[in-house]
C-alpha cells in the first residue's frame, strides 16, 4: 500500500493550474479560499501519490469545517495557523497571477502571428481597435491554427481595383474569418448542409435561412441522403416548392 508523501510546490502548482485554481468540489476559487491538493482515491485505501490522483480542493471541502472553540492555551496556535493561511493565500495568488501572465503571453504571440498573416494577405490595410478585438476573440474561440487556415481561405473573397484590393472586399473577407472557423469545426455532414443552403440562397429569390438549415438537418436525421437533398435544391423552382418537396421526401 502506498504511503502519503509531501506534495512539492511544483506539483501543487501544476494541479492548481490544471484545475484553473478552482476547488473541484464546490467551485470556489483562489484567493477567495485556500486551496489544497486532495487525493481522489485516498492513500489509505490504495490511492497513488500521482498527479492523476490529485485534485484541487478548498480547505473546507478537503478537511471539513471545525466548530470547536479554541481554549485559552490555543491562542498562539490559532495565530500561527492564521499566519500560515495568509502565507498560503499569498503564495497561491502569486502562482495564479504567474499562470495568468503566462497565458497572456501565449495569447499575445498567437495574436501577433494571426495579425501578421492578415497583413501579409492584404498589404496596405491595418486593423483598427475593433478589428483587433474581433481577431483576438476568434483566436480565443477557435485557436490559432484554425484562424490562420481561415485567413488563407479569405483570399477567395478579395477583389482588386486600381492595383490593390478593394476596401469592401477586404472588409468582407475579414468578416468571414469567424464563419470559416466555425464551418471548419463542424462535422462533414453539417458542412454539406451549409453548402446546400448556399445553393438555395443563390437559386431562390427568397430563402428563410434558419428554416432552411433546420429542415436540412431534420432531413439528414430522418435518413435523407446528402445527394438527394442537393438534387431537390437544384431542381426546385422556388423556396415554397423546395420546402414542400423536402417535407414530402421525409414523408411528413
Amino acid at each position: 500500500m502506498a504511503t502519503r508523501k509531501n506534495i512539492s510546490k511544483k506539483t501543487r502548482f501544476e494541479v492548481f493550474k490544471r484545475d484553473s485554481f478552482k476547488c473541484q468540489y464546490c467551485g470556489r476559487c483562489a484567493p477567495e479560499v485556500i486551496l489544497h491538493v486532495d487525493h481522489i482515491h485516498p492513500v489509505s485505501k490504495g490511492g497513488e501519490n500521482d498527479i492523476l490522483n490529485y485534485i484541487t480542493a478548498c480547505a473546507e471541502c478537503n478537511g471539513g469545517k471545525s466548530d470547536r472553540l479554541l481554549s485559552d492555551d490555543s491562542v498562539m496556535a490559532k495565530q500561527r495557523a492564521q499566519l500560515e493561511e495568509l502565507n498560503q493565500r499569498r503564495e497561491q495568488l502569486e502562482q495564479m497571477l504567474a499562470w495568468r501572465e503566462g497565458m497572456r503571453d501565449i495569447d499575445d504571440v498567437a495574436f501577433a502571428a494571426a495579425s501578421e498573416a492578415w497583413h501579409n494577405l492584404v498589404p496596405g490595410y491595418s486593423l483598427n481597435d475593433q478589428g483587433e478585438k474581433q481577431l483576438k476573440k476568434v483566436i480565443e474561440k477557435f485557436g490559432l491554427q484554425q484562424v490562420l487556415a481561415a485567413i488563407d481561405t479569405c483570399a477567395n473573397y478579395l477583389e482588386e481595383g486600381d492595383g490593390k484590393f478593394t476596401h469592401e472586399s477586404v472588409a468582407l473577407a475579414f468578416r468571414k474569418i469567424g464563419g470559416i472557423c466555425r464551418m471548419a469545426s463542424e462535422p462533414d455532414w453539417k458542412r454539406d448542409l451549409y453548402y446546400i443552403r448556399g445553393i438555395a440562397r443563390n437559386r431562390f429569390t427568397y430563402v428563410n435561412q434558419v428554416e432552411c438549415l433546420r429542415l436540412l438537418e431534420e432531413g439528414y436525421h430522418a435518413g435523407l441522403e446528402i445527394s438527394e437533398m442537393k438534387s431537390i435544391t437544384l431542381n426546385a423552382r422556388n423556396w415554397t416548392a423546395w420546402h414542400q418537396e423536402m417535407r414530402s421526401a421525409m414523408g411528413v
Side-chain angles (χ1 to χ4, degrees), residues 99-186:
W99 170 63
R100 287 180 176 173
E101 189 63 33
M103 294 300 294
R104 188 177 296 113
D105 291 342
I106 293 173
D107 292 343
D108 289 344
V109 170
F111 171 74
S115 180
E116 181 180 2
W118 176 252
H119 291 145
N120 288 339
L121 180 66
V122 288
Y125 288 92
S126 59
L127 294 173
N128 58 23
D129 290 344
Q130 186 60 35
E132 290 184 354
K133 289 179 182 178
Q134 183 62 29
L135 186 58
K136 289 177 180 178
K137 187 180 296 184
V138 293
I139 292 171
E140 181 180 351
K141 185 173 184 179
F142 298 107
L144 175 61
Q145 295 307 315
Q146 204 156 312
V147 170
L148 291 177
I151 290 175
D152 288 340
T153 304
C154 284
N156 297 324
Y157 297 96
L158 296 173
E159 298 178 356
E160 289 192 19
D162 297 328
K164 67 175 185 177
F165 295 125
T166 65
H167 177 79
E168 292 77 12
S169 69
V170 171
L172 173 63
F174 185 77
R175 290 197 301 271
K176 291 288 185 179
I177 294 176
I180 294 170
C181 289
R182 186 165 51 253
M183 283 287 292
S185 64
E186 297 282 9

Side-chain angles (χ1 to χ4, degrees), residues 16 23 28-37 56-62 81-82 84-93:
F16 293 158
C23 174
R28 291 185 294 175
C29 300
E32 176 189 353
V33 292
I34 292 294
L35 298 177
H36 292 178
V37 173
T56 301
C58 69
E60 290 183 4
C61 290
N62 187 38
Q82 289 175 334
E84 176 63 22
E85 180 176 326
L86 287 173
N87 287 334
Q88 288 185 43
R89 197 180 294 272
R90 176 182 55 78
E91 179 183 302
Q92 291 176 12
L93 181 58

Side-chain angles (χ1 to χ4, degrees), residues 6 41 62 68 113 144 194:
N6 289 330
H41 300 292
N62 187 38
R68 292 176 299 170
L144 175 61
Y194 279 114

Side-chain angles (χ1 to χ4, degrees), residues 33-80:
V33 292
I34 292 294
L35 298 177
H36 292 178
V37 173
D38 189 17
H39 288 78
I40 299 173
H41 300 292
V43 173
S44 61
K45 296 184 179 180
E48 297 293 331
N49 292 295
D50 183 89
I51 194 168
L52 296 178
N53 191 40
Y54 293 154
I55 191 170
T56 301
C58 69
E60 290 183 4
C61 290
N62 187 38
K65 292 183 178 179
S66 176
D67 296 327
R68 292 176 299 170
L69 296 176
L70 294 173
S71 66
D72 293 339
D73 295 335
S74 64
V75 172
M76 290 301 296
K78 179 182 178 181
Q79 290 177 342
R80 284 195 297 270

